[in-house]
Amino acid sequence: MDEDEKRPLVGIVMGSDSDLDVMAEAASSLDAFGIPYEMVVTSAHRSPEKTSRYAKSAAGRGIEVIIAGAGGAAHLAGVIASQTVLPVIGVPIPSSPLGGMDSLLSIVQMPGGIPVATMSIGKGGAQNAGIMAAQMLALKHSKIRDLLERHRDQLERETEKKNRAIAKMRK
Ligand code: RP5
């Protein structure tokens, strides 16, 4: 892999290190498609200036998609989206007593003008955020498109394997 291929294309951003367990799923998805990424903890309310610097500098550093995960009153994805024209994918983290419903609504209910592509709550949402980022990158990177097609074939094969296993059990 040359230096250019190692340059991060995706920024995975999270509000706290306590979000890492969930956000690691986004990283795993990107790993599966060989997509280089960076991981940064920055908070919209605890480190607003760092968050702003991150959002404003991302495109210039070669980042093409940002995945932002946060819990509670989760404004990180929206705050980042307001300061870059890169697509931002939001992941609601179930870290509060409300189990992530608060973060889901905070992230998904962006008023018109500044969109955030919101995933489902928790690990499944983080996994899909990585796949969604891959799909966005595949518009430009044909190698990623090929890997996504292989991934879909694999899902289909796994479903058929499950059918065969059930049929065998019922014999
Ligand atoms: C949010 O507050 C973070 O995204 C995290 O989900 C939540 C709790 O953070 P910690 O108190 O665990 O650092 O900003």
Side-chain angles (χ1 to χ4, degrees), residues 90-124:
V91 180
I93 308 280
S95 59
S96 78
L98 298 184
M101 274 305 289
D102 42 357
S103 17
L104 171 66
L105 296 177
S106 302
I107 298 172
V108 80
Q109 281 298 102
M110 284 297 288
I114 306 289
V116 171
T118 309
M119 301 292 108
S120 54
I121 299 170
K123 290 189 175 182

Side-chain angles (χ1 to χ4, degrees), residues 14-19 43 45-46 69-72 93 95:
M14 62 202 92
S16 173
D17 59 350
S18 61
D19 300 328
S43 162
H45 48 274
R46 291 174 179 159
I93 308 280
S95 59

Side-chain angles (χ1 to χ4, degrees), residues 38-97:
E38 61 186 20
M39 263 186 159
V40 175
V41 173
T42 188
S43 162
H45 48 274
R46 291 174 179 159
S47 58
E49 279 165 22
K50 179 182 167 72
T51 298
S52 179
R53 277 198 305 277
Y54 183 85
K56 286 178 179 165
S57 68
R61 291 184 299 101
I63 297 292
E64 296 183 16
V65 182
I66 295 175
I67 299 172
H75 33 248
L76 182 61
V79 165
I80 291 177
S82 74
Q83 296 174 80
T84 177
V85 293
L86 293 176
V88 177
I89 304 171
V91 180
I93 308 280
S95 59
S96 78

